[in-house]
Amino acid sequence: MDMFATSQGEPLLRKNTSAAIIENDNIRANAIQIERYEQMQLKRKCRTKALLIILVCLCVTGFLTWLYIDHTVPEFNQYRLVKSFEETPLNYGNNNSGSDNDQPRIILLWNSFFGDERWSLPDDLIDPAYFHKELQCPVSNCVLTNRRDLFPQIQMYDAILFHTAQPFPVINSVPSQRSGRQLYVFALMEPPGETKHILSDERDFYNLTMTYRTDSDIICAYNWFVDKQTGMRILPTEYPKWRPVPNIYNDTAIWRLWPNKTKTAAWFVSHCETLSRREQLTAELQKYIDVDVYGKCGPMSCPNGSPECDRLLDEKYQFYFSFENSLCIDYITEKLYKIMKRNIIPVVYGGANYKQFLPPHSYINVEDYSTPEELANYLKFVAENPIEYMRYFWWREHYELRFFSPFCELCQRLHQSQYYLKTQSYSDIERWWLQGSCRFKSRIKF
């Protein structure tokens, strides 16, 4: 039995011993793996900290560098940029050589001015010599034309003028292509009530406005008053600086005409029914004074624009009715300026603030009076007092009327340094032109 027991127990002992050895090896291996893992984690933490430290250092260095560049050397940086632009000037457009500002500017008349393709100019192409000699522009290096075939591409013109008083033609209504440096000009001399053109589809289309209104980019007036002594043009500001009106003024030419000026007032008119109701105002005034109406709206006639009509006003009449067809802001027609050159006192009626445009005591404003009868009484007073009548011509000693072409200012704008980098556009030209521009109720009651 003992022998049997001993021989059977040895294998069991060997098995237990081997299992213990294997288990110990596994424990040591696990310990080694754990140690390696902890070392790796430690290395990762150290690496992360190092990266964070480096990132913080880079941020601090970048911030300090930005502070240095932005606050310490901006002048050096900006002058460097200015110098670079000086050495290599920007050159937009089609000019390949020479200074861009020395190149002539080409202006295209896109459509006609009430059927006149030349806009009252003498030729289809106006060269810089005409700008200089005839228009007397301070900047004259421009060409004005109605020829669309002058260049192979329409976007090669520097500016295009659109007369917007009438609808554009159905074919080629507007240019099919447009250059980024090209200026589109809204040109109009008619009041909003007489504008027969749809503007609602032309948002962000026009860059400049050229009209009679004082808030236009280019004011287009039929005439300007110029101080004879200084040669300065009187601009229609809110409070223009006019010379004081003398208490007594003697005009020899008017005195010679005075004995034959036996007729009270004249009015030349062809548009009979108007928004301003000027025809009704005239009818009311005829109840108190004599008013001779010439043209389609009256019984009398005289050839329009003839020297005979001018002589008739100079020699026979004391007052001329310069009544506008619309009561619109700044709207004054060329007829008033023509009358200012004649030996007759204009009686004005319109929506403009005449104090901005005409010398004081050079006209009689209808709306300075409450009723037609009150106005008629004042006209009678002036007509019966020659000394007071003469005072209305005092301004001729100090001022003269001159024409300044709006094309001169447009040419000058086109020659401003890099004008195409500071352009504008009218987001709603219809609203700008129509809103608040006219009134339909006069201040004189009739």
Side-chain angles (χ1 to χ4, degrees):
M1 294 292 294
D2 293 336
M3 291 178 60
F4 180 80
T6 302
S7 61
Q8 295 292 328
E10 286 181 358
L12 292 173
L13 180 60
R14 287 194 200 100
K15 285 183 179 180
N16 292 335
T17 302
S18 299
I21 292 171
I22 293 171
E23 184 177 357
N24 289 335
D25 290 342
N26 290 336
I27 292 172
R28 282 196 296 270
N30 290 335
I32 292 171
Q33 290 180 355
I34 291 172
E35 183 177 357
R36 287 178 179 174
Y37 177 77
E38 290 178 348
Q39 289 177 354
M40 291 177 61
Q41 290 294 103
L42 182 61
K43 287 181 179 179
R44 287 179 181 174
K45 289 182 179 179
C46 292
R47 194 178 302 158
T48 303
K49 288 182 179 179
L51 289 174
L52 287 174
I53 291 172
I54 293 172
L55 183 61
V56 170
C57 290
L58 289 174
C59 290
V60 171
T61 304
F63 178 72
L64 293 176
T65 304
W66 173 80
L67 285 177
Y68 175 75
I69 293 174
D70 192 62
H71 295 279
T72 308
V73 291
E75 292 185 3
F76 171 78
N77 188 49
Q78 295 303 319
Y79 279 113
R80 178 180 60 81
L81 292 174
V82 171
K83 187 176 181 181
S84 69
F85 281 117
E86 175 104 8
E87 294 173 350
T88 309
L90 293 173
N91 187 18
Y92 293 85
N94 304 300
N95 300 316
N96 297 321
S97 62
S99 173
D100 180 67
N101 206 44
D102 294 335
Q103 299 297 323
R105 301 295 190 244
I106 313 301
I107 305 168
L108 175 64
L109 303 174
W110 181 255
N111 56 333
S112 67
F113 190 87
F114 294 115
D116 183 0
E117 299 290 342
R118 296 178 177 176
W119 291 40
S120 300
L121 295 169
D123 205 344
D124 291 331
L125 191 145
I126 303 300
D127 61 8
Y130 188 90
F131 274 83
H132 177 67
K133 295 180 180 179
E134 302 299 327
L135 299 183
Q136 298 183 350
C137 300
V139 177
S140 58
N141 194 15
C142 286
V143 173
L144 182 68
T145 182
N146 57 16
R147 291 171 50 188
R148 300 184 188 180
D149 59 350
L150 189 63
F151 288 123
Q153 296 177 335
I154 200 70
Q155 59 265 35
M156 296 178 69
Y157 294 90
D158 296 286
I160 300 180
L161 269 71
F162 298 87
H163 181 230
T164 55
Q166 294 177 309
F168 291 158
V170 176
I171 301 176
N172 293 328
S173 59
V174 295
S176 58
Q177 294 180 321
R178 182 174 186 176
S179 166
R181 63 172 289 166
Q182 204 169 45
L183 298 184
Y184 280 10
V185 184
F186 175 91
L188 190 57
M189 290 300 290
E190 294 298 305
E194 301 296 326
T195 303
K196 300 175 178 63
H197 181 75
I198 299 174
L199 300 173
S200 57
D201 296 333
E202 296 171 359
R203 294 173 179 267
D204 294 307
F205 184 76
Y206 299 103
N207 305 111
L208 296 176
T209 53
M210 189 170 76
T211 79
Y212 60 83
R213 285 211 334 223
T214 56
D215 60 343
S216 301
D217 299 297
I218 300 174
I219 302 176
C220 187
Y222 290 104
N223 275 114
W224 298 84
F225 283 91
V226 176
D227 192 301
K228 290 182 178 181
Q229 183 176 351
T230 64
M232 297 297 293
R233 181 171 28 164
I234 308 299
L235 299 178
T237 59
E238 186 175 1
Y239 300 103
K241 295 182 179 180
W242 299 104
R243 294 179 181 271
V245 182
N247 294 326
I248 298 176
Y249 178 75
N250 183 15
D251 189 305
T252 305
I254 304 298
W255 272 114
R256 285 199 300 264
L257 296 170
W258 180 255
N260 294 322
K261 279 182 170 291
T262 56
K263 293 180 177 290
T264 306
W267 185 32
F268 293 0
V269 59
S270 58
H271 191 177
C272 304
E273 295 184 6
T274 60
L275 295 174
S276 67
R277 300 189 302 131
R278 60 186 181 183
E279 61 281 356
Q280 299 179 30
L281 173 60
T282 302
E284 287 295 317
L285 286 168
Q286 286 177 322
K287 296 178 181 179
Y288 309 101
I289 58 174
D290 293 330
V291 180
D292 292 339
V293 180
Y294 290 81
K296 296 180 181 179
C297 306
M300 309 186 75
S301 63
C302 186
N304 186 24
S306 69
E308 179 185 345
C309 297
D310 293 338
R311 185 165 54 252
L312 187 67
L313 295 177
D314 282 336
E315 298 176 358
K316 301 297 181 182
Y317 287 96
Q318 297 165 331
F319 306 99
Y320 179 83
F321 285 0
S322 183
F323 291 176
E324 306 295 355
N325 56 23
S326 302
L327 302 178
C328 298
I329 295 173
D330 300 333
Y331 181 61
I332 298 176
T333 60
E334 75 280 8
K335 293 180 181 179
L336 175 57
Y337 292 105
K338 290 180 179 179
I339 289 299
M340 294 292 291
K341 298 176 181 179
R342 308 250 57 89
N343 297 317
I344 191 171
I345 298 176
V347 181
V348 300
Y349 174 56
N353 181 359
Y354 290 96
K355 294 179 181 179
Q356 295 181 342
F357 296 90
L358 309 178
H361 210 75
S362 64
Y363 61 93
I364 297 172
N365 191 349
V366 165
E367 294 196 308
D368 286 341
Y369 303 88
S370 302
T371 63
E373 183 179 6
E374 183 181 346
L375 170 61
N377 289 336
Y378 181 75
L379 295 179
K380 291 177 182 178
F381 165 76
V382 175
E384 294 169 358
N385 291 271
I387 295 178
E388 183 62 26
Y389 190 90
M390 301 302 157
R391 287 183 66 225
Y392 277 91
F393 301 91
W394 72 273
W395 61 271
R396 293 184 176 180
E397 184 176 340
H398 305 285
Y399 302 101
E400 62 181 354
L401 283 165
R402 291 185 196 171
F403 172 72
F404 292 86
S405 173
F407 297 130
C408 291
E409 186 172 348
L410 178 58
C411 182
Q412 188 170 4
R413 280 176 173 265
L414 292 173
H415 278 282
Q416 290 177 353
S417 178
Q418 299 175 358
Y419 69 91
Y420 40 84
L421 298 182
K422 49 187 177 184
T423 58
Q424 62 183 10
S425 64
Y426 282 76
S427 60
D428 193 345
I429 191 69
E430 182 181 50
R431 186 174 183 179
W432 176 83
W433 183 241
L434 299 181
Q435 187 175 30
S437 59
C438 301
R439 53 186 170 88
F440 299 92
K441 188 176 181 180
S442 62
R443 298 187 181 96
I444 185 172
K445 297 178 182 179
F446 61 93

